[in-house]
Amino acid sequence: MMKMNEKVYNLTIELKKEMDNDPRFLLLDELEQKINISDEVALLAYKKDRASDKYNDLLKIYKEDDEIVIRARKNLIKAKDELDAHPLVKSYLKAYNEVRLLLYEVNNILFKDYKGKVC
């Protein structure tokens, strides 16, 4: 007779295999690879990171409602919007959200009996 731990382990391995072959996970992996080699996305991400660094640096010196901070925040929002508007990034974020929701559902199914309990 199979021990409970062995059964749980085997079911976990089976679930992992199913997820590895699920089209949503495969698409997410494919899009991540494309993003990682895209010069356009890299440039947009760099611009966003630079705008974020500048904004955070200015917050150390000025107040949030200071004009220079407001301009920096607007530049950061613009840079973030440009990155998010790139077709590859849009596709990736959509695929990521689908996988995230699936994982959330799996988590709820697997651990619903343990929620709110303190061990």
Side-chain angles (χ1 to χ4, degrees), residues 2-109:
M2 189 182 293
K3 293 180 184 176
M4 184 58 126
N5 287 344
E6 234 179 289
K7 186 175 181 180
V8 170
Y9 177 78
N10 289 335
L11 288 171
T12 303
I13 295 297
E14 191 176 320
L15 177 60
K16 171 78 169 102
K17 286 179 186 174
E18 289 296 321
M19 287 180 165
D20 287 344
N21 293 313
D22 185 287
R24 293 165 286 197
F25 285 84
L26 295 172
L27 176 61
L28 184 63
D29 287 343
E30 177 187 329
L31 291 169
E32 184 174 10
Q33 289 174 15
K34 287 180 179 179
I35 278 179
N36 287 336
I37 61 172
S38 170
D39 290 339
E40 288 178 22
V41 172
L43 180 61
L44 291 170
Y46 176 75
K47 286 180 180 179
K48 190 260 315 164
D49 290 345
R50 294 279 306 198
S52 178
D53 290 344
K54 182 174 183 178
Y55 175 70
N56 288 320
D57 288 345
L58 289 172
L59 279 176
K60 294 174 187 172
I61 303 167
Y62 302 99
K63 294 180 179 180
E64 262 189 69
D65 60 350
D66 197 299
E67 185 59 37
I68 194 167
V69 174
I70 292 171
R71 277 196 309 272
R73 183 172 46 244
K74 287 180 182 177
N75 287 337
L76 173 56
I77 291 169
K78 181 181 177 208
K80 174 86 168 85
D81 289 346
E82 287 174 1
L83 176 61
D84 290 346
H86 189 280
L88 197 50
V89 174
K90 283 172 74 170
S91 296
Y92 175 83
L93 292 173
K94 182 177 184 248
Y96 175 82
N97 194 46
E98 288 181 26
V99 167
R100 186 184 61 80
L101 289 173
L102 176 62
L103 291 173
Y104 179 78
E105 288 176 26
V106 168
N107 185 58
N108 281 339
I109 291 167

